[in-house]
Amino acid sequence: RELLPLEYAFGALQVNELAGRTFEEDCPSEVAARAAEELVHSVYPDLPLPPVPNATCAGEDYLAQVSLWPVPHGGLQGFFAILGGYLAVVAALAYVVLRWRLRSLAMA
């Protein structure tokens, strides 16, 4: 698994926005049922089909599909700790490079 900061940032955003929410449009089961209905009507245009019921799905269902439920890394705090660690490493590297560069310019 890759260790990309954007992956952790996007995961934290998804958990924050989708956990605890209920959706009534474009749920995976509803989308699949509508696609099946369109396929049947493309082959048998006059065949009457029962209406597709409106489905409801929870944000946790989607998060489980993308392996973010239950929330890994200790919850949102864990995501922010990982992102903070990335920030600390980048800041330390920037400091070292900047100090080295300034020292080499001062000697020249």
Side-chain angles (χ1 to χ4, degrees), residues 87-105:
L87 180 62
V89 168
V90 168
L93 286 173
Y95 174 77
V96 168
V97 169
L98 184 60
R99 185 165 176 132
W100 171 77
R101 183 71 177 143
L102 289 174
R103 195 174 278 179
S104 66
L105 286 176

Side-chain angles (χ1 to χ4, degrees), residues 7 27 32-33 35 47 55 61 63 86:
E7 178 182 328
C27 291
L47 181 67
D61 295 337
L63 292 172
Y86 275 113

Side-chain angles (χ1 to χ4, degrees), residues 3-12 83 86:
L3 299 175
L4 299 174
L6 288 177
E7 178 182 328
Y8 292 107
F10 188 60
L83 290 170
Y86 275 113

Side-chain angles (χ1 to χ4, degrees), residues 30-84:
E30 182 181 1
V31 171
R34 291 198 191 284
E37 182 181 68
E38 289 175 10
L39 179 64
V40 169
H41 277 295
S42 69
V43 177
Y44 305 104
D46 297 328
L47 181 67
L49 293 174
V52 175
N54 286 335
T56 59
C57 53
E60 288 84 1
D61 295 337
Y62 171 76
L63 292 172
Q65 289 176 2
V66 294
S67 301
L68 288 174
W69 196 262
V71 183
H73 314 300
L76 285 176
Q77 299 88 352
F79 277 102
F80 284 112
I82 291 169
L83 290 170

